[in-house]
Structures are given as structure tokens and as C-alpha cells.
Amino acid sequence: MNKFNVICVDDQPEVLNAVQQDLKPLKQWLNIEECESAAEALELMEELDAEGQMVAVVISDHVMPDKTGVELLAEIAADPRFEHTRRVLLTGQATHIDTINAINQAGIHHYFDKPWNVDKLVGCVRSLVTSYVFDAGMDYSDYREFLDAQMMLRRLRIY
Amino acid sequence: MDEEKLKPLIDRYFSTPERQMLLEAGTVLIEQGGNNERLYYVRSGKLAGFYSEAEESEEGSESTQVLSAGTGEFVGVHSFFSGTWTASSTVIAQVDSQLAWIERADTESPDDYSALTAQFMPLIVNELSQRQIRAMRESLAKEKALQQLYTAEQMTTLGQLAAGIAHELNNATGVVSSKAVRLEAAISSLINQANPELATFFETGLIQGQVLTSREVRERGKTFEKTYRLPKDQARELARAIPREGHIETWMKQHDVAIRAWQLGRDLYDLKLASQHTVGIVKSVKQLGRTEISHDEVININDTIMQAKALLKSDLRGVSVHFEPGTLPAFTGSQTELMQMWINILKNACDALKSTIAPEIHIHTRYSNGWYYVTIGNNGPEITEETRRKIFQPDFTTKKTGLSFGLGLGLSIVKRIASNYNGSVAVKSDREKTIFRIRLAPWNSNE
């Protein structure tokens, strides 16, 4: 079974670590990657794509040096290779304008405020990966037990 | 008004001995709204006219000075020539004043009146224009005072809010950090009792946390995966935990428990780090809300700059600092506040100069017309116009790197302090240099 990749981006290592640990319950079927900058995340996505791997979700902090989370997610949104990749902003420091840009330019699928609720974060990633699987038109049978059941039912009714 | 043109007028109308009087200081000459049928000429002394909104002068009703007449000037022009014969303000002698007057009766015959008005025309126009100019100046001054008050009010509110938050946060952080210390001791002793071998792994995590970057962990994980034939997740956990110079074989022997012990230590390390971080933030927030500062110290601004330079010695290493102190008279204010300003600006300059080759800071002080000017410039990168607009806002920062991040309070503190001293701070920046100009007046010198 090929694991889907979830990439977490935050310039503060302790925060990155905490996110990664919180996502542990999903480790059985997801590969959690950590990056300390937007550049590193883009590089890693390039690498994973070259290996034919799937990037299902990117969870990024917003306020980072060099490139912000919104800029990173906007860049990912514009890349046809990652058109199904789900984009999540996890930040405590976004202004009103940042948030507007996150929706209009980066088309984010979910917004988390820091500090985040672990169960909600895990649940959100689970349902985002589920929708990714369906949007990317992949065979979901291998992952049935892990996917978000409700989301799966809803998607199956449509198709 | 032209004295020479006025002289024949004075001689003719204001020289009758029985129409001269001495008004003692503090005596009311005419009441606002009252009848006034005289035009007074001030031979010597000084009078002031006050206008008050309230119909009767109730207690506490505020009156505004609208008129002042010194030697050679007139009182009652308004009521006399407007034909209302009603005083527009209450006129009181400020010092003992000698007055001469003419009366309405003098103007009873129409011919006399028009002759009088014709002669007094320049005087009337002059009086009206004086009043107009005075009203304009006052409204400008009022506008400015309101603006200052508004700024000061904003800053005080922000400061009080900050102090309140700082207090609450301090309590919360106090609990977090003391419990973290307690947990550390408890877990440490538990591990030592249960399995002393694991203590080393726990302590490695506790002492330095995770040292490797996410990139290093990824690469090292791949190597471990191959070398030790481990599943990806486990390889990566080990890559994260084992110090660069660590003895890998020791870890591999019991890697499952070793990782868990290390993670426990690492979590406590992060917890301590985060609470220290909070303490630091609270400290700088408190600075913003500081109220217990004494402003009557007599200080030398050049000295405070030298002290700020000394405090920032390590930050300024490698930067060539040129200080040209001007000759400054002693300044009244708070040494702490001034140093806070210089430290904030200099620290920002240091941060801005990080990637500049041959970094330089130029400091210059000058005194002129009651104002103290301090200019601090650096040859760092240009601050864009967009950033310049936001640079003094309390939540604006460009420093977001890891734990050394800024709160965006520095320059807002500078601005608040400068405004306390009736002063201002401005920033100019182009590709060659960035300059902060601070203008200050001694404490309370304007009151």
C-alpha cells in the first residue's frame, strides 16, 4: 500500500514537531513530512512528484521568513501537478488581509487557528485526504478502513 | 494700525479729560450680552475679552479668551459700530489700565455718525481682521492639540491593555514553567528508578531538544532505513533523536524504548523553551505598558546613546559605528525611556545589517530652538514604502525567524516615547541608507 504524503510547514521547529506528533494516529496510512521553510516544502514536493508519490495535503504556517504560507499555498494551487493537493493554513498571526488572500489567491481548503485542537486537526486531515483520493480518481479500496466514512459515502453517491 | 493716521483721531475724540478713567486690574469693564454704548481707547495697560457659552456665568462654565487689547488699541469696536450696542464678550482689565472713551450720544446726529464711521473705517476693518486671524489660529491650535491628545490617548490605552495582558500571562506562564520543572524532576527520577539505561536517552532530549533540521532528519532517515533495514517511520524517529556525534549502536540496541525516552525529554525541553519564550514576550509587552517611570531626571542625551551602544556591544560586533555627538544642553526626562528608544532603533539596525557587506551605523545629535534631534542611520537594505507606512504600528514586524522573532513592539515603543516628549520619529529609506530621525523636547517643557 502506497502511503499518501502530508507535508507540514512551519519555521518554528517545536511547533512543527508538535503538529507532526499530533498527526501520529494517521501514520499507519499517511507519511507525515516536515519542512522548516516554504522553499524546503517546494523542493520536497518536487522530489516526491519525481518519485511518483502523491502529496495529498500541505499544512502551512503563514508568517515565515522569505516566503509566507499564503504565498506557498498559492504557488501550489497554481501548479497543475498538485491541482488536487489539499491546502491548509495553520496560523495564529494572520491578519484580516492575509486571510482574504488565503481564500482568494491560495484557495485554501481549511483554516486552523493556533493553538489548534488535536482531534479536529486529525479529523480534518482525514477528510481532506479522503476528498483528495476521490478527486484524483484513485482506487480507494486499499484505504477504505482509514478514510473519512461520511465523506466517502457522500462522494460515492455522486459518482 | 498706522499710528500716524490714528493720532489725529485720538487727539480729536479721546482727549476729553472728563472721559478718561483708570480701571484697576481685575475689574470688569463690560459684560458679555450687556449694554455697551462706549468705544474705549486704551491709553495704557492691557485688557482681555472672554466669551462664554453659558447664558449666565454659571459655576464651572468655561470661558474662552477672544480679545486682547493693549496700549493704543480699542475696546468695544464690535458693539459700537455694529449698531447692536451689545457687548460680544466680557472685558476685564488684566493690569491697571488707563482708558478714554466716546459715547453713543456723540453719534446721535446722523451726520456726526457717518463722519465718525468714515474716520474709523480702517480701525473697524483692522479689528475684524485681527479677530478673524485670531479665530483661525485658535482653531488650528485646537485641532493640533486634539490630535496630540488623541495620539497620547491611543498610546496610553494600548499601554494599559498591554500591562493587563502581561500580568495575566505572567501568572499563566508562571504555572507552566514551574510545573514543567516539577514534571522534569519527577519523570527523571522515575526513569532512573525503573531503567537507568534509559536515563541517557531521556537526558539527551531534555538537554538539547531536537538539534537536526527537518531536511537533515529526512536525509539521515533514508540512510538509517537502508543501513539498519528499519521501517521508514522508525528510521526517521531515530534520525531525529540521535545527536550528530551520538553513539548510534547504543541507540540501535533498544531503539524502541530509546526513542520514547528521548521524545519525553524533548517534549519537556520544548515546554521549557516555550515558557521561557513567553516570559520574554511578556517582558517586552510590559515595557510598552510601563507607567512607573520618573521623568524629572536631568540627563545628557549623548551619554544615553553611549550607554545604549555599550549594552548592544555584542550585537554591534562587526558594525562600524560612527557617533558624532553635538553640543547639547541638559535634557529633562527619563533615562530608561531614552535608552529604550536608542536600543530599539539600534537593534533594528543591527538586524537589518545582517547581510550587508561593510555595515555602518551613523549617529548624530543636534540641538536647535528647544528641540533635541537624534539621527540614527545605517547602510542596510531599503525599507519599502509599504513597510515604512506600517513600521510604527504596534503589531508590525518583519522578524519571524524561529525563536528570535520580534513582537513588532520596538518601533511602536519608540513612537510612544517620542510622543511623550512632544516629539516625533520619522523614517527615510533608499537603496543607500535608512535613517531614523527623532525629535524631542524636554519633559513638560510645553506645559
Side-chain angles (χ1 to χ4, degrees):
Chain A
M1 184 177 77
N2 208 349
K3 284 186 179 177
F4 294 109
N5 290 288
V6 172
I7 301 179
C8 310
V9 194
D10 199 306
D11 60 321
Q12 266 177 278
E14 320 87 78
V15 178
L16 196 57
N17 214 282
V19 177
Q20 184 262 135
Q21 255 182 320
D22 288 347
L23 292 177
K24 259 195 181 148
L26 305 170
K27 272 202 161 162
Q28 211 182 333
W29 61 293
L30 295 178
N31 178 40
I32 316 290
E33 292 285 349
E34 293 163 67
C35 293
E36 284 166 19
S37 71
E40 191 184 333
L42 289 169
E43 209 177 292
L44 177 67
M45 287 179 78
E46 204 61 58
E47 215 174 284
L48 291 172
D49 185 63
E51 290 169 16
Q53 294 201 52
M54 249 66 73
V55 180
V57 181
V58 177
I59 304 171
S60 178
D61 178 28
H62 173 54
V63 188
M64 297 185 289
D66 298 329
K67 197 177 276 182
T68 67
V70 172
E71 284 167 337
L72 167 70
L73 295 178
E75 209 165 306
I76 294 170
D79 192 327
R81 293 174 297 172
F82 306 116
E83 64 169 320
H84 299 302
T85 299
R86 293 302 192 259
R87 302 173 292 274
V88 179
L89 203 62
L90 170 65
T91 181
Q93 286 166 303
T95 64
H96 188 59
I97 302 290
D98 291 335
T99 316
I100 291 172
N101 286 338
I103 295 167
N104 290 349
Q105 285 163 29
I108 57 164
H109 297 92
H110 207 101
Y111 183 105
F112 273 104
D113 223 6
K114 281 180 190 170
W116 60 92
N117 176 302
V118 180
D119 293 337
K120 280 189 183 151
L121 183 71
V122 171
C124 170
V125 170
R126 190 195 305 279
S127 96
L128 286 176
V129 176
T130 308
S131 66
Y132 171 83
V133 170
F134 280 90
D135 278 357
M138 298 170 62
D139 181 8
Y140 61 88
S141 45
D142 279 355
Y143 309 97
R144 198 180 305 218
E145 56 176 311
F146 308 117
L147 295 176
D148 183 320
Q150 265 188 323
M151 168 77 77
M152 202 158 60
L153 276 174
R154 212 183 316 148
R155 300 304 288 257
L156 283 171
R157 222 177 293 153
I158 296 168
Y159 291 95
Chain B
M1 241 190 98
D2 204 329
E3 297 260 330
E4 266 175 58
K5 270 194 206 156
L6 206 57
K7 193 162 185 312
L9 215 60
I10 303 301
D11 288 344
R12 180 161 167 208
Y13 292 100
F14 297 96
S15 304
T16 327
E18 59 269 25
R19 286 191 177 176
Q20 309 231 354
M21 63 189 275
L22 168 74
L23 195 66
E24 276 177 42
T27 320
V28 175
L29 180 63
I30 37 184
E31 289 271 6
Q32 176 187 335
N35 197 45
N36 173 41
E37 302 195 350
R38 289 177 176 181
L39 175 69
Y40 293 96
Y41 172 69
V42 184
R43 300 184 69 89
S44 71
K46 191 171 167 35
L47 294 99
F50 298 92
Y51 176 79
S52 105
E53 281 273 303
E55 286 288 310
E56 284 156 53
S57 67
E58 301 158 24
E59 212 159 304
S61 79
E62 306 236 337
S63 61
T64 316
Q65 190 180 348
V66 290
L67 169 96
S68 98
T71 307
E73 291 182 306
F74 295 86
V75 174
V77 181
H78 223 237
S79 44
F80 196 83
F81 291 107
S82 65
T84 59
W85 313 107
T86 308
S88 59
S89 61
T90 300
V91 180
I92 303 169
Q94 303 298 97
V95 297
D96 291 355
S97 307
Q98 283 285 346
L99 305 174
W101 75 90
I102 53 171
E103 292 203 11
R104 183 182 184 177
D106 302 345
T107 67
E108 288 302 87
S109 119
D111 285 350
D112 281 354
Y113 186 67
S114 55
L116 197 73
T117 35
Q119 289 178 70
F120 276 88
M121 187 57 85
L123 177 75
I124 299 165
V125 173
N126 183 54
E127 164 82 15
L128 285 176
S129 111
Q130 286 299 327
R131 283 194 184 208
Q132 183 71 26
I133 289 168
R134 193 191 171 90
M136 201 170 70
R137 277 206 195 113
E138 265 179 7
S139 95
L140 275 177
K142 201 164 277 173
E143 184 63 28
K144 215 176 144 190
L146 270 176
Q147 276 299 333
Q148 270 178 2
L149 200 69
Y150 178 67
T151 314
E153 175 75 6
Q154 239 183 351
M155 288 316 205
T156 320
T157 316
L158 186 65
Q160 282 166 353
L161 188 70
I165 293 172
H167 177 77
E168 294 299 323
L169 272 180
N170 252 351
N171 288 342
T173 321
V175 175
V176 173
S177 58
S178 84
K179 298 283 168 176
V181 171
R182 219 189 70 78
L183 273 179
E184 181 188 319
I187 294 172
S188 181
S189 86
L190 273 177
I191 290 182
N192 268 312
Q193 275 170 28
N195 186 350
E197 268 179 67
L198 287 181
T200 335
F201 303 123
F202 172 74
E203 264 152 33
T204 308
L206 184 66
I207 289 162
Q208 47 184 5
Q210 181 182 326
V211 191
L212 279 78
T213 65
S214 51
R215 196 189 295 267
E216 284 175 309
V217 169
R218 212 166 18 250
E219 278 156 18
R220 204 179 186 202
K222 276 182 194 160
T223 322
F224 283 4
E225 221 179 311
K226 275 187 218 139
T227 322
Y228 301 99
R229 298 176 184 282
L230 288 166
K232 188 172 180 177
D233 281 344
Q234 232 165 32
R236 201 170 278 184
E237 294 293 4
L238 281 164
R240 211 191 299 277
I242 306 173
R244 284 201 188 84
E245 66 287 353
H247 191 252
I248 297 177
E249 305 309 326
T250 321
W251 288 73
M252 291 300 170
K253 253 194 280 170
Q254 40 183 338
H255 57 71
D256 258 357
V257 276
I259 288 173
R260 266 161 49 206
W262 178 83
Q263 283 177 346
L264 211 50
R266 189 264 333 259
D267 287 353
L268 281 168
Y269 171 86
D270 283 355
L271 196 59
K272 278 195 296 183
L273 200 70
S275 73
Q276 270 167 23
H277 189 175
T278 320
V279 170
I281 293 171
V282 169
K283 225 180 250 170
S284 42
V285 169
K286 256 188 158 174
Q287 246 181 21
L288 188 76
R290 261 185 89 151
T291 44
E292 72 281 17
I293 276 179
S294 117
H295 288 109
D296 47 17
E297 299 166 55
V298 176
I299 46 183
N300 180 333
I301 289 192
N302 289 330
D303 288 349
T304 60
I305 293 173
M306 292 300 289
Q307 282 158 340
K309 262 178 63 188
L311 275 177
L312 291 172
K313 213 168 151 191
S314 67
D315 298 74
L316 288 166
R317 197 170 292 139
V319 180
S320 79
V321 183
H322 305 270
F323 181 27
E324 293 169 49
T327 315
L328 307 177
F331 184 87
T332 317
S334 151
Q335 181 163 358
T336 322
E337 284 191 336
L338 289 198
M339 283 180 54
Q340 263 178 32
M341 284 203 281
W342 316 142
I343 287 172
N344 275 310
I345 294 178
L346 285 172
K347 202 141 187 347
N348 277 350
C350 289
D351 295 337
L353 287 168
K354 284 238 161 79
S355 50
T356 303
I357 306 156
E360 282 176 34
I361 292 179
H362 288 265
I363 310 169
H364 181 77
T365 58
R366 187 166 65 87
Y367 175 81
S368 160
N369 276 333
W371 291 102
Y372 294 74
Y373 296 87
V374 178
T375 316
I376 301 178
N378 67 65
N379 62 343
E382 178 174 6
I383 304 175
T384 60
E385 211 229 311
E386 202 199 339
T387 305
R388 284 208 297 274
R389 256 187 280 127
K390 294 185 281 189
I391 207 164
F392 296 111
Q393 288 171 12
D395 59 351
F396 181 77
T397 182
T398 54
K399 289 166 221 154
K400 292 290 182 187
T401 327
L403 281 177
S404 68
F405 81 89
L407 260 185
L409 290 182
L411 285 175
S412 77
I413 292 176
V414 173
K415 187 187 171 187
R416 181 183 62 96
I417 297 175
S419 79
N420 279 349
Y421 291 92
N422 278 313
S424 57
V425 46
V427 58
K428 248 173 81 178
S429 184
D430 57 33
R431 269 148 77 187
E432 273 88 55
K433 55 188 186 294
T434 296
I435 297 172
F436 282 88
R437 267 181 231 284
I438 302 101
R439 189 177 75 154
L440 305 170
W443 188 254
N444 279 353
S445 66
N446 283 13
E447 280 177 22

